[in-house]
Amino acid sequence: RTALEAAQMHAEKIRDKLFVITGPYSEIGVETTKAFLHEGGKVVLGGRNAKLLEEFCKEMKQQYR
């Protein structure tokens, strides 16, 4: 099951909730972040690579406004 499929199964539990995701710009973090945003969740993102984090945040803001 993909992160989006799992999120869609629990959309009512995700909508308007706040999630903290570390390492959102790689692998499962990317898919989890997108799934939560797609279902109306709010995310706080953190990571060790400031440049990747900044680029990923810009991309997510453009995609999920």
Side-chain angles (χ1 to χ4, degrees):
R1 182 172 298 151
T2 68
L4 181 56
E5 290 171 336
Q8 288 172 332
M9 290 176 58
H10 302 285
E12 69 282 347
K13 294 179 182 178
I14 293 172
R15 194 169 296 110
D16 297 324
K17 298 285 190 313
L18 180 64
F19 299 91
V20 176
I21 302 173
T22 59
Y25 42 77
S26 65
E27 301 177 21
I28 196 166
V30 172
E31 298 308 316
T32 302
T33 300
K34 289 180 178 182
F36 285 167
L37 290 172
H38 185 268
E39 294 305 320
K42 297 176 174 119
V43 296
V44 174
L45 306 175
R48 294 183 290 180
N49 187 319
K51 183 178 178 183
L52 286 177
L53 184 60
E54 184 178 340
E55 290 171 3
F56 184 72
C57 286
K58 284 181 185 177
E59 181 184 332
M60 293 301 100
K61 285 179 183 178
Q62 290 173 351
Q63 205 169 8
Y64 293 97
R65 283 204 164 175

